[in-house]
Amino acid sequence: MRYLWEALLAAEAERIPEENLRFIHAPLGSGYMELSLPCLNQTWLEDGGQREDVSIGVNTYYRFYDIFHDVFPPDSIDFPALRESLTNLSLHMLAQNDIRRGMTKEDYHKRLLTKEIMEGGFGETARRVFLDMSRKDQEMLLGGWLNSFRVGSTLSVFLDMIHSLVADSIVYHSNEYPDEVLIYTGLRKERKLEQRIRFLIDTFLDIRYRVEIFYEHHFGIIGVEETMRIDEIAIC
C-alpha cells in the first residue's frame, strides 16, 4: 500500500469499519510513500489483531503539503489532541475523494446498495449471505441486483446469478411446465449454501415459479447415461 485510498480498500477487504481507521501525521515517514507502515511492501492493515482502532501513519506532506504545512510546524506544541483529530478527519475526507474520483454511476449505486444491505434494509438473511461472499461474488451479486432493478424479476437474471454464485450448478427450466425450475449443484448440502440459494430464489425469481433443489447427486434423466448411475442419482 502506498496511498490513502489503498488503505480504505484494504480495510474493506479485511472488513474493518472505516470509523476504526485513525490516520495520524507521521513526521518521520518516507518521502517516497504516502503511508507510513511497519513493512515497506505491506498489503494488510491488521495481522489477526483485535484492536478497536487501527492507527495508520501518513506523510501529510507527500500530496497535501498546502493543506498541512501550517498544521504541523517544527516548533508547534499547542493543542495536540485537536490537531490530531482534525488531521484524522481531513485525511478521511481526502481518502474518500480519491475513491470517488474514479467511480462510475454504477459503482456509486453499488456502494449505496451495499450500505443498504449492511444496514439490514433487505433483511438479516441478505446481510448474512452478503458477508459470507468473497469480494468478487459480492460484485457479481450487486451487478445482478442493479440489473434486476432495471428490468424487473426475470428468469435470465436469476439464471445468471445461480451460475455465477453457486459452483458446479445447472438450472433446468421445463418447456412442458413453464413455472417449474430445477436447480442442481454438485456441492454437498450445508447450511450456508442452502441459505445462499434460497436467498437468490427469493430475490431474483418471481413468486409464481416452483423450485426444486438437488445437491451432490444429479437426478436421473432417461437417455443421459451420465445421470443414470446406481446409488448416485436423486429421484425427481
Side-chain angles (χ1 to χ4, degrees):
M1 285 182 289
R2 179 171 179 171
Y3 295 102
L4 277 173
W5 58 270
E6 292 180 286
L8 292 193
L9 293 181
E12 185 175 350
E14 296 175 40
R15 297 183 179 170
I16 300 173
E18 186 183 345
E19 56 267 24
N20 286 10
L21 301 181
R22 186 163 185 83
F23 295 115
I24 59 176
H25 172 68
L28 301 178
S30 169
Y32 301 96
M33 299 180 69
E34 189 163 89
L35 299 183
S36 180
L37 301 170
C39 300
L40 183 62
N41 296 321
Q42 186 169 324
T43 58
W44 67 93
L45 295 176
E46 281 279 68
D47 191 12
Q50 300 294 324
R51 290 178 299 168
E52 191 68 25
D53 292 329
V54 180
S55 295
I56 303 173
V58 180
N59 177 2
T60 55
Y61 298 156
Y62 186 80
R63 281 193 297 156
F64 311 117
Y65 178 80
D66 291 342
I67 298 174
F68 292 102
H69 73 282
D70 287 333
V71 179
F72 296 101
D75 56 350
S76 177
I77 58 173
D78 296 330
F79 312 110
L82 177 60
R83 283 189 285 116
E84 288 178 8
S85 295
L86 290 175
T87 298
N88 179 53
L89 176 62
S90 300
L91 290 173
H92 272 280
M93 295 174 64
L94 292 167
Q96 285 291 344
N97 287 341
D98 273 348
I99 289 180
R100 292 194 177 97
R101 190 171 296 170
M103 288 177 63
T104 65
K105 183 178 180 180
E106 179 151 337
D107 291 331
Y108 182 70
H109 288 161
K110 284 181 178 180
R111 182 168 292 237
L112 292 178
L113 182 56
T114 299
K115 184 173 183 292
E116 185 76 7
I117 293 170
M118 297 304 296
E119 291 178 350
F122 295 98
E124 184 59 27
T125 297
R127 183 176 179 276
R128 284 199 301 267
V129 170
F130 188 76
L131 285 173
D132 188 53
M133 290 181 174
S134 66
R135 178 69 181 273
K136 180 181 177 181
D137 285 352
Q138 288 177 350
E139 285 294 313
M140 289 181 180
L141 174 65
L142 293 171
W145 216 333
L146 291 177
N147 192 29
S148 73
F149 290 156
R150 289 189 288 264
V151 303
S153 297
T154 66
L155 185 61
S156 60
V157 175
F158 172 72
L159 294 178
D160 185 52
M161 289 293 95
I162 288 291
H163 291 149
S164 299
L165 300 173
V166 180
D168 192 17
S169 62
I170 304 174
V171 179
Y172 297 90
H173 183 215
S174 173
N175 291 327
E176 186 175 356
Y177 303 101
D179 293 341
E180 183 177 77
V181 175
L182 307 179
I183 300 173
Y184 162 76
T185 173
L187 301 178
R188 186 184 300 273
K189 183 177 181 180
E190 50 93 18
R191 186 182 63 82
K192 287 186 177 181
L193 176 61
E194 185 178 17
Q195 191 176 61
R196 177 179 293 200
I197 295 175
R198 286 296 176 187
F199 163 73
L200 295 175
I201 292 171
D202 293 341
T203 303
F204 295 103
L205 202 60
D206 285 343
I207 195 171
R208 66 187 177 89
Y209 287 100
R210 184 173 68 86
V211 182
E212 290 191 45
I213 307 170
F214 297 85
Y215 300 90
E216 193 173 2
H217 298 305
H218 199 288
F219 51 85
I221 302 176
I222 296 175
V224 181
E225 292 184 7
E226 291 81 0
T227 68
M228 301 295 287
R229 297 176 179 175
I230 297 174
D231 295 330
E232 293 186 10
I233 63 173
I235 303 299
C236 179

